[in-house]
Amino acid sequence: MALLETLTADMKTAMRAKDKETLSVVRMLKAAVSNEQIKLGHDLTADEELAVLSREMKQRVEELESYKAGERTELALEVEKQIAVVKQYMPAQMSEAEVIATVKETIEQVGATTKADLGKVMGALMPKVKGKADGKLVNATVQSLLK
């Protein structure tokens, strides 16, 4: 089932359950996916759907960090709930060990040896981990493994 259909079904379920928090997040996700579909002029591929979800997740994570930095605990709790709903639609996240293994494998494939090869490694690596791992973790892992 396409993401848009899943979101529509989940929106109906949230309405029936009178779950306003989930409903608002699902509506927002549905709007983001619909807007992207209109912008591109065709039904979204799985990668394009993942890109929209990743963008929405990233916005919420940044929002959460700023609320925590500003000691706005009530707003931070709301955003954490939103993140939990968005995570339901994201693919399973890679563990740190899986990220390290993927990075090592990619470094060998590319033949990278120094930090100067960071761009080559990241270019080959990001399509493999897109949406499945945090970009900051991936970047930090690559930098730690390259000398």
Side-chain angles (χ1 to χ4, degrees), residues 66-144:
S66 69
Y67 286 149
K68 284 185 176 181
E71 297 180 15
R72 305 282 310 265
T73 54
E74 285 181 24
L75 294 173
L77 289 173
E78 277 184 45
V79 174
E80 285 175 349
K81 290 176 188 173
Q82 291 177 7
I83 288 172
V85 174
V86 176
K87 275 185 182 178
Q88 294 173 2
Y89 301 100
M90 299 283 290
Q93 295 294 297
M94 297 172 74
S95 69
E96 196 169 337
E98 290 173 318
V99 170
I100 292 170
T102 306
V103 168
K104 285 181 180 177
E105 177 185 315
T106 305
I107 288 173
E108 287 177 23
Q109 287 175 350
V110 175
T113 54
T114 65
K115 288 199 185 225
D117 299 324
L118 180 72
K120 279 198 289 188
V121 174
M122 292 301 286
L125 182 63
M126 287 315 286
K128 295 179 185 178
V129 299
K130 187 175 184 177
K132 299 176 192 167
D134 179 38
K136 291 178 184 175
L137 171 66
V138 172
N139 191 1
T141 305
V142 170
Q143 288 190 12
S144 71

Coordinates of all heavy atoms in Angstrom, one line a residue, residues 66-144:
S66 N 16.0 22.5 20.0 CA 15.9 23.9 20.4 C 15.0 24.1 21.6 O 15.3 24.9 22.4 CB 15.3 24.7 19.2 OG 14.0 24.4 18.9
Y67 N 13.9 23.3 21.7 CA 13.0 23.4 22.9 C 13.8 22.9 24.1 O 13.7 23.5 25.2 CB 11.8 22.6 22.7 CG 10.8 23.2 21.8 CD1 9.9 22.4 21.0 CD2 10.7 24.6 21.6 CE1 9.0 22.9 20.2 CE2 9.7 25.1 20.8 CZ 8.9 24.3 20.0 OH 8.0 24.8 19.2
K68 N 14.6 21.9 24.0 CA 15.4 21.4 25.2 C 16.4 22.4 25.6 O 16.7 22.6 26.7 CB 16.0 20.0 24.9 CG 15.0 18.9 24.9 CD 15.7 17.6 24.7 CE 14.7 16.4 24.9 NZ 15.3 15.1 24.7
A69 N 17.0 23.0 24.6 CA 18.1 24.0 24.8 C 17.4 25.2 25.5 O 18.1 25.9 26.4 CB 18.8 24.5 23.6
G70 N 16.2 25.6 25.2 CA 15.5 26.7 25.8 C 14.7 26.3 27.0 O 14.0 27.1 27.6
E71 N 14.9 25.1 27.5 CA 14.2 24.5 28.7 C 12.7 24.7 28.6 O 12.0 25.0 29.6 CB 14.8 25.2 29.9 CG 16.3 24.9 30.1 CD 16.8 25.5 31.4 OE1 16.1 25.9 32.3 OE2 18.1 25.5 31.5
R72 N 12.1 24.4 27.4 CA 10.7 24.4 27.2 C 10.2 23.0 27.2 O 9.9 22.4 26.2 CB 10.4 25.1 25.9 CG 11.0 26.5 25.6 CD 10.2 27.6 26.3 NE 8.8 27.6 26.1 CZ 8.1 28.3 25.2 NH1 8.8 29.1 24.4 NH2 6.8 28.2 25.2
T73 N 10.1 22.4 28.4 CA 9.8 21.0 28.6 C 8.4 20.6 28.0 O 8.2 19.5 27.4 CB 9.9 20.5 30.0 OG1 9.0 21.4 30.8 CG2 11.3 20.6 30.5
E74 N 7.4 21.5 28.2 CA 6.0 21.1 27.7 C 6.1 21.0 26.1 O 5.5 20.0 25.6 CB 5.0 22.2 28.1 CG 4.6 22.1 29.5 CD 3.6 23.2 29.9 OE1 2.9 23.7 28.9 OE2 3.5 23.6 31.0
L75 N 6.7 21.9 25.5 CA 6.8 21.9 24.0 C 7.6 20.7 23.6 O 7.3 20.1 22.6 CB 7.3 23.2 23.5 CG 6.4 24.4 23.7 CD1 7.1 25.7 23.3 CD2 5.1 24.3 22.9
A76 N 8.7 20.4 24.3 CA 9.6 19.3 24.0 C 8.8 18.0 24.1 O 9.0 17.1 23.2 CB 10.8 19.3 24.9
L77 N 7.9 17.8 25.1 CA 7.1 16.6 25.2 C 6.2 16.5 24.0 O 6.0 15.3 23.5 CB 6.4 16.6 26.5 CG 7.2 16.4 27.8 CD1 6.3 16.6 29.0 CD2 7.8 15.1 27.8
E78 N 5.6 17.5 23.6 CA 4.7 17.5 22.4 C 5.4 17.0 21.2 O 4.9 16.2 20.4 CB 4.1 18.9 22.2 CG 2.9 19.2 23.0 CD 2.3 20.5 22.6 OE1 2.1 20.8 21.4 OE2 1.9 21.3 23.5
V79 N 6.6 17.6 21.0 CA 7.4 17.2 19.8 C 7.9 15.8 19.9 O 7.9 15.1 18.9 CB 8.6 18.2 19.6 CG1 9.5 17.8 18.5 CG2 8.1 19.6 19.4
E80 N 8.2 15.3 21.1 CA 8.6 13.9 21.2 C 7.4 13.0 20.8 O 7.6 11.9 20.2 CB 9.0 13.6 22.7 CG 10.4 14.1 23.0 CD 10.7 14.0 24.5 OE1 9.9 13.6 25.3 OE2 11.9 14.2 24.8
K81 N 6.2 13.4 21.1 CA 5.0 12.6 20.7 C 4.9 12.6 19.2 O 4.6 11.6 18.6 CB 3.7 13.1 21.4 CG 3.7 12.9 22.9 CD 2.4 13.5 23.5 CE 2.5 13.5 25.0 NZ 1.4 14.2 25.6
Q82 N 5.1 13.7 18.6 CA 5.1 13.8 17.1 C 6.1 13.0 16.5 O 5.8 12.3 15.5 CB 5.3 15.3 16.7 CG 4.1 16.2 17.1 CD 4.4 17.7 16.7 OE1 5.4 18.0 16.0 NE2 3.5 18.6 17.1
I83 N 7.3 13.0 17.1 CA 8.4 12.1 16.5 C 8.0 10.7 16.6 O 8.3 9.9 15.7 CB 9.7 12.4 17.3 CG1 10.2 13.8 16.9 CG2 10.7 11.3 17.0 CD1 11.4 14.3 17.7
A84 N 7.4 10.2 17.7 CA 6.9 8.8 17.8 C 6.0 8.5 16.7 O 6.0 7.3 16.2 CB 6.3 8.6 19.2
V85 N 5.1 9.4 16.3 CA 4.1 9.1 15.3 C 4.8 9.0 13.9 O 4.6 8.1 13.1 CB 3.0 10.1 15.2 CG1 2.1 9.9 14.0 CG2 2.2 10.1 16.5
V86 N 5.7 9.9 13.7 CA 6.4 9.9 12.4 C 7.3 8.7 12.3 O 7.4 8.1 11.2 CB 7.3 11.2 12.2 CG1 8.1 11.2 10.9 CG2 6.4 12.5 12.2
K87 N 7.9 8.2 13.3 CA 8.7 7.0 13.3 C 8.0 5.8 12.9 O 8.6 4.9 12.3 CB 9.3 6.7 14.7 CG 10.6 7.5 15.0 CD 11.2 7.1 16.3 CE 12.4 7.9 16.6 NZ 13.0 7.6 17.9
Q88 N 6.7 5.8 13.1 CA 5.8 4.6 12.7 C 5.9 4.4 11.2 O 5.7 3.3 10.7 CB 4.4 4.8 13.1 CG 4.2 4.8 14.6 CD 2.7 5.2 14.9 OE1 1.9 5.4 14.0 NE2 2.4 5.2 16.2
Y89 N 6.1 5.5 10.4 CA 6.1 5.4 9.0 C 7.5 5.3 8.4 O 7.7 5.1 7.2 CB 5.4 6.6 8.4 CG 4.0 6.7 8.9 CD1 3.6 7.6 9.9 CD2 3.0 5.9 8.4 CE1 2.3 7.6 10.4 CE2 1.7 6.0 8.8 CZ 1.4 6.8 9.9 OH 0.1 6.9 10.4
M90 N 8.5 5.4 9.2 CA 9.9 5.4 8.8 C 10.4 3.9 8.8 O 9.9 3.1 9.5 CB 10.8 6.2 9.7 CG 10.5 7.6 9.8 SD 11.1 8.6 8.4 CE 12.8 8.5 8.6
P91 N 11.3 3.6 7.9 CA 11.9 2.2 8.0 C 12.7 2.0 9.3 O 13.1 3.0 9.9 CB 12.8 2.2 6.8 CG 13.1 3.6 6.4 CD 11.9 4.4 6.9
A92 N 12.9 0.8 9.6 CA 13.6 0.5 10.9 C 15.0 1.1 10.8 O 15.7 1.1 9.8 CB 13.7 -1.0 11.1
Q93 N 15.4 1.7 11.9 CA 16.7 2.4 12.0 C 17.8 1.4 12.2 O 17.7 0.4 12.9 CB 16.7 3.4 13.1 CG 15.7 4.6 12.9 CD 16.1 5.4 11.7 OE1 17.2 6.0 11.6 NE2 15.3 5.4 10.6
M94 N 19.0 1.6 11.6 CA 20.1 0.8 11.7 C 20.7 1.0 13.1 O 20.8 2.1 13.6 CB 21.2 1.1 10.6 CG 20.7 0.8 9.2 SD 21.9 1.5 8.0 CE 23.2 0.3 8.1
S95 N 21.3 -0.1 13.7 CA 22.0 0.1 15.0 C 23.4 0.7 14.7 O 23.8 0.7 13.5 CB 22.1 -1.3 15.6 OG 23.1 -2.1 14.9
E96 N 24.0 1.1 15.8 CA 25.3 1.7 15.6 C 26.3 0.7 15.0 O 27.2 1.0 14.2 CB 25.8 2.2 16.9 CG 27.0 3.2 16.8 CD 27.4 3.9 18.1 OE1 26.5 4.0 19.0 OE2 28.5 4.3 18.2
A97 N 26.2 -0.6 15.4 CA 27.1 -1.6 14.9 C 26.9 -1.8 13.4 O 27.8 -2.0 12.6 CB 26.8 -2.9 15.7
E98 N 25.6 -1.8 13.0 CA 25.3 -1.9 11.5 C 25.8 -0.7 10.7 O 26.4 -0.9 9.6 CB 23.8 -2.0 11.3 CG 23.2 -3.3 11.8 CD 21.6 -3.3 11.8 OE1 21.0 -2.3 12.1 OE2 21.1 -4.3 11.4
V99 N 25.8 0.4 11.3 CA 26.3 1.6 10.6 C 27.8 1.5 10.5 O 28.4 1.7 9.4 CB 26.0 2.9 11.4 CG1 26.7 4.1 10.9 CG2 24.5 3.2 11.4
I100 N 28.5 1.1 11.6 CA 30.0 0.9 11.5 C 30.3 -0.1 10.4 O 31.3 0.1 9.7 CB 30.5 0.5 12.9 CG1 30.4 1.7 13.9 CG2 32.0 0.1 12.8 CD1 30.7 1.4 15.3
A101 N 29.6 -1.2 10.4 CA 29.9 -2.3 9.4 C 29.7 -1.8 8.0 O 30.5 -2.0 7.1 CB 29.0 -3.5 9.7
T102 N 28.6 -1.0 7.8 CA 28.3 -0.5 6.4 C 29.4 0.5 6.0 O 29.8 0.5 4.9 CB 26.9 0.1 6.4 OG1 26.0 -0.8 6.9 CG2 26.6 0.6 5.0
V103 N 29.8 1.3 7.0 CA 30.9 2.4 6.7 C 32.2 1.7 6.4 O 32.8 2.0 5.4 CB 31.0 3.3 7.9 CG1 32.3 4.2 7.8 CG2 29.8 4.2 8.1
K104 N 32.6 0.7 7.1 CA 33.8 -0.1 6.8 C 33.8 -0.7 5.5 O 34.7 -0.6 4.7 CB 34.1 -1.1 7.9 CG 34.5 -0.6 9.2 CD 34.8 -1.7 10.2 CE 35.3 -1.1 11.6 NZ 35.5 -2.2 12.6
E105 N 32.6 -1.3 5.1 CA 32.5 -2.0 3.8 C 32.6 -0.9 2.7 O 33.3 -1.2 1.7 CB 31.1 -2.6 3.8 CG 30.7 -3.3 2.5 CD 29.3 -3.8 2.6 OE1 28.9 -4.5 3.6 OE2 28.6 -3.6 1.6
T106 N 32.0 0.2 2.9 CA 32.0 1.3 1.9 C 33.4 1.8 1.7 O 33.8 2.1 0.6 CB 31.0 2.4 2.2 OG1 29.7 1.8 2.4 CG2 30.9 3.4 1.1
I107 N 34.1 2.0 2.8 CA 35.5 2.5 2.8 C 36.3 1.6 1.9 O 37.2 2.0 1.1 CB 36.0 2.8 4.2 CG1 35.4 4.0 4.8 CG2 37.6 2.9 4.1 CD1 35.7 4.2 6.3
E108 N 36.2 0.3 2.1 CA 36.9 -0.7 1.4 C 36.6 -0.7 -0.1 O 37.4 -0.7 -1.0 CB 36.7 -2.1 1.9 CG 37.4 -2.4 3.3 CD 37.0 -3.8 3.8 OE1 36.6 -4.7 3.0 OE2 37.1 -3.9 5.0
Q109 N 35.3 -0.6 -0.4 CA 34.8 -0.5 -1.8 C 35.4 0.7 -2.5 O 35.8 0.6 -3.7 CB 33.3 -0.5 -1.9 CG 32.6 -1.8 -1.5 CD 31.1 -1.6 -1.5 OE1 30.6 -0.5 -1.5 NE2 30.4 -2.7 -1.3
V110 N 35.4 1.8 -1.9 CA 35.8 3.1 -2.5 C 37.4 3.1 -2.5 O 38.0 3.8 -3.4 CB 35.2 4.3 -1.8 CG1 35.8 5.6 -2.3 CG2 33.7 4.3 -1.9
G111 N 38.0 2.4 -1.6 CA 39.5 2.5 -1.5 C 40.0 3.7 -0.8 O 41.0 4.2 -1.1
A112 N 39.2 4.2 0.1 CA 39.5 5.4 0.8 C 40.6 5.1 1.9 O 40.5 4.1 2.5 CB 38.3 6.1 1.5
T113 N 41.5 6.1 2.1 CA 42.5 5.9 3.1 C 42.6 7.1 4.1 O 43.0 7.0 5.2 CB 43.9 5.6 2.5 OG1 44.1 6.7 1.6 CG2 43.9 4.3 1.8
T114 N 42.4 8.3 3.5 CA 42.6 9.5 4.3 C 41.3 10.3 4.4 O 40.3 10.0 3.7 CB 43.6 10.4 3.7 OG1 43.2 10.9 2.5 CG2 45.0 9.7 3.6
K115 N 41.3 11.3 5.3 CA 40.1 12.2 5.4 C 39.8 13.0 4.2 O 38.7 13.4 4.0 CB 40.3 13.1 6.6 CG 40.2 12.4 7.9 CD 39.9 13.4 9.1 CE 39.9 12.6 10.4 NZ 38.9 12.9 11.3
A116 N 40.8 13.0 3.3 CA 40.6 13.7 2.0 C 39.6 13.0 1.1 O 38.9 13.5 0.2 CB 41.9 13.9 1.3
D117 N 39.4 11.7 1.4 CA 38.5 10.8 0.7 C 37.1 10.8 1.3 O 36.2 10.0 0.9 CB 39.0 9.4 0.6 CG 40.3 9.3 -0.1 OD1 40.5 10.0 -1.0 OD2 41.1 8.4 0.4
L118 N 36.8 11.7 2.2 CA 35.5 11.7 2.9 C 34.4 11.9 2.0 O 33.3 11.2 2.1 CB 35.5 12.9 4.0 CG 34.2 13.1 4.8 CD1 34.1 11.9 5.8 CD2 34.2 14.4 5.5
G119 N 34.5 12.8 1.0 CA 33.4 13.0 0.0 C 33.1 11.8 -0.8 O 31.9 11.5 -1.0
K120 N 34.1 11.1 -1.2 CA 33.9 9.9 -2.0 C 33.1 8.8 -1.2 O 32.2 8.2 -1.6 CB 35.2 9.2 -2.4 CG 35.8 9.9 -3.7 CD 36.9 9.0 -4.3 CE 38.1 8.9 -3.4 NZ 39.2 8.2 -4.1
V121 N 33.5 8.7 0.1 CA 32.9 7.7 1.0 C 31.5 8.1 1.2 O 30.6 7.2 1.1 CB 33.7 7.6 2.3 CG1 33.0 6.6 3.3 CG2 35.1 7.0 2.0
M122 N 31.2 9.3 1.6 CA 29.9 9.8 1.9 C 29.0 9.7 0.7 O 27.8 9.3 0.8 CB 29.9 11.2 2.4 CG 30.5 11.4 3.8 SD 29.8 10.4 5.1 CE 28.3 11.3 5.4
G123 N 29.5 10.0 -0.5 CA 28.7 9.9 -1.7 C 28.3 8.4 -2.0 O 27.1 8.2 -2.5
A124 N 29.1 7.5 -1.7 CA 28.8 6.1 -2.0 C 27.9 5.5 -0.8 O 27.1 4.6 -1.0 CB 30.1 5.2 -2.1
L125 N 28.1 6.1 0.4 CA 27.5 5.5 1.6 C 26.0 6.0 1.8 O 25.2 5.2 2.1 CB 28.3 5.9 2.8 CG 27.9 5.4 4.2 CD1 27.9 3.9 4.2 CD2 28.8 6.0 5.2
M126 N 25.8 7.3 1.5 CA 24.5 7.8 1.9 C 23.3 7.1 1.2 O 22.3 6.9 1.8 CB 24.4 9.3 1.6 CG 25.2 10.1 2.7 SD 24.9 9.6 4.4 CE 23.3 10.3 4.7
P127 N 23.4 6.7 -0.1 CA 22.3 6.0 -0.7 C 22.0 4.7 0.0 O 20.8 4.2 0.1 CB 22.7 5.7 -2.1 CG 23.7 6.8 -2.4 CD 24.4 7.0 -1.1
K128 N 23.0 4.1 0.6 CA 22.8 2.8 1.3 C 22.1 3.0 2.7 O 21.3 2.1 3.1 CB 24.1 2.1 1.6 CG 24.9 1.7 0.4 CD 26.2 1.1 0.8 CE 27.1 0.8 -0.3 NZ 28.4 0.2 0.1
V129 N 22.3 4.1 3.3 CA 21.7 4.3 4.7 C 20.7 5.4 4.7 O 20.1 5.7 5.8 CB 22.9 4.7 5.7 CG1 23.9 3.6 5.8 CG2 23.5 6.0 5.3
K130 N 20.3 6.0 3.6 CA 19.3 7.0 3.6 C 18.0 6.6 4.3 O 17.4 5.6 3.9 CB 19.0 7.4 2.1 CG 18.2 8.7 2.0 CD 18.0 9.1 0.6 CE 17.2 10.3 0.5 NZ 17.1 10.8 -0.9
G131 N 17.6 7.4 5.3 CA 16.4 7.1 6.0 C 16.5 6.0 7.0 O 15.6 5.8 7.8
K132 N 17.6 5.3 7.0 CA 17.8 4.2 7.9 C 18.7 4.5 9.0 O 18.8 3.7 10.0 CB 18.3 2.9 7.2 CG 17.4 2.4 6.1 CD 18.0 1.3 5.3 CE 17.2 1.0 4.1 NZ 18.0 0.1 3.2
A133 N 19.5 5.6 8.9 CA 20.5 6.0 9.9 C 20.6 7.5 10.0 O 20.4 8.1 8.9 CB 21.8 5.3 9.6
D134 N 20.9 8.0 11.1 CA 21.1 9.4 11.3 C 22.4 9.9 10.6 O 23.4 9.3 10.7 CB 21.2 9.7 12.8 CG 21.4 11.2 13.1 OD1 20.8 12.0 12.4 OD2 22.2 11.5 14.0
G135 N 22.2 10.9 9.8 CA 23.3 11.4 9.0 C 24.5 11.9 9.8 O 25.7 11.7 9.5
K136 N 24.2 12.4 11.0 CA 25.3 12.9 11.9 C 26.1 11.7 12.4 O 27.3 11.8 12.5 CB 24.7 13.7 13.1 CG 24.1 15.0 12.7 CD 23.5 15.7 13.9 CE 22.8 17.0 13.6 NZ 22.1 17.6 14.7
L137 N 25.4 10.6 12.8 CA 26.1 9.4 13.2 C 27.0 8.8 12.1 O 28.1 8.4 12.3 CB 25.1 8.4 13.7 CG 25.7 7.0 14.0 CD1 26.6 7.0 15.2 CD2 24.5 6.0 14.3
V138 N 26.4 8.8 10.9 CA 27.2 8.3 9.8 C 28.4 9.1 9.5 O 29.5 8.5 9.4 CB 26.3 8.2 8.5 CG1 27.1 7.8 7.3 CG2 25.1 7.3 8.7
N139 N 28.3 10.4 9.5 CA 29.4 11.3 9.2 C 30.5 11.1 10.3 O 31.7 11.0 10.0 CB 28.9 12.8 9.2 CG 30.0 13.7 8.7 OD1 31.1 13.3 8.3 ND2 29.6 15.0 8.6
A140 N 30.0 11.1 11.6 CA 31.0 10.9 12.7 C 31.7 9.6 12.6 O 33.0 9.5 12.8 CB 30.3 11.0 14.0
T141 N 31.0 8.6 12.2 CA 31.6 7.2 12.1 C 32.7 7.2 10.9 O 33.8 6.7 11.1 CB 30.6 6.2 11.8 OG1 29.6 6.2 12.8 CG2 31.1 4.8 11.7
V142 N 32.3 7.8 9.8 CA 33.3 7.9 8.7 C 34.5 8.6 9.1 O 35.6 8.2 8.8 CB 32.6 8.5 7.4 CG1 33.6 8.8 6.3 CG2 31.5 7.7 6.9
Q143 N 34.3 9.8 9.7 CA 35.5 10.6 10.1 C 36.4 9.8 11.1 O 37.6 10.0 11.1 CB 35.0 11.9 10.7 CG 34.5 12.8 9.6 CD 34.2 14.2 10.1 OE1 34.7 14.6 11.2 NE2 33.6 15.0 9.3
S144 N 35.8 9.1 12.0 CA 36.6 8.3 13.0 C 37.3 7.2 12.4 O 38.4 6.8 12.8 CB 35.7 7.8 14.2 OG 34.8 6.8 13.7

